[in-house]
Amino acid sequence: MKQLGDRWGDELVIMAFPSREFGAQEFEKDEDIQAFAAQQQFPGVLLKLGKVLGPEASEVWQFFKSETGAADPDWNFRGKFLVSREGEVCVPSGKLEEEVEALM
């Protein structure tokens, strides 16, 4: 993600949806998540710890799913969406970097 952020700067907005729904691998507190993201130089918008599975998922996540027909992710790093400048939402099906470049 850092490489995408470095390459596209303000033209690309990366949003992270931290969740403990996948083996409880995420930190338990937002402050710890924020510190880790800063240490890793995460270049995007970090949302508060929440859910991405089922009806309790955040409204933004549910919108992305409804626009694409995507199923709940089966693992935390497999849940990705791309949104064009025109607001079209898609699920990347290939190499993420190439799909972002095509979208830009």
Side-chain angles (χ1 to χ4, degrees):
M1 291 298 150
K2 181 173 178 342
Q3 294 153 334
L4 286 172
D6 288 346
R7 176 157 186 205
W8 295 103
D10 291 342
E11 292 183 70
L12 177 68
V13 177
I14 301 170
M15 298 172 67
F17 294 77
S19 173
R20 291 187 49 81
E21 296 172 294
F22 302 97
Q25 291 186 340
E26 190 62 79
F27 293 104
E28 293 182 14
K29 297 179 182 176
D30 285 318
E31 298 81 24
D32 295 333
I33 296 168
Q34 291 169 354
F36 179 77
Q39 179 185 22
Q40 299 300 310
Q41 299 177 333
F42 175 69
V45 177
L46 185 61
L47 282 78
K48 291 187 179 260
L49 184 63
K51 296 186 181 277
V52 296
L53 301 178
E56 295 181 15
S58 76
E59 290 181 28
V60 174
W61 191 267
Q62 287 186 40
F63 173 76
F64 289 161
K65 282 182 48 183
S66 71
E67 288 292 302
T68 62
D72 284 335
D74 59 351
W75 198 247
N76 54 346
F77 292 109
R78 293 192 185 128
K80 295 180 177 70
F81 297 97
L82 295 175
V83 182
S84 73
R85 288 182 174 114
E86 293 78 30
E88 297 173 15
V89 183
C90 69
V91 176
S93 58
K95 192 169 183 180
L96 184 61
E97 292 82 4
E98 292 173 4
E99 294 197 32
V100 168
E101 181 151 351
L103 192 68
M104 301 304 273

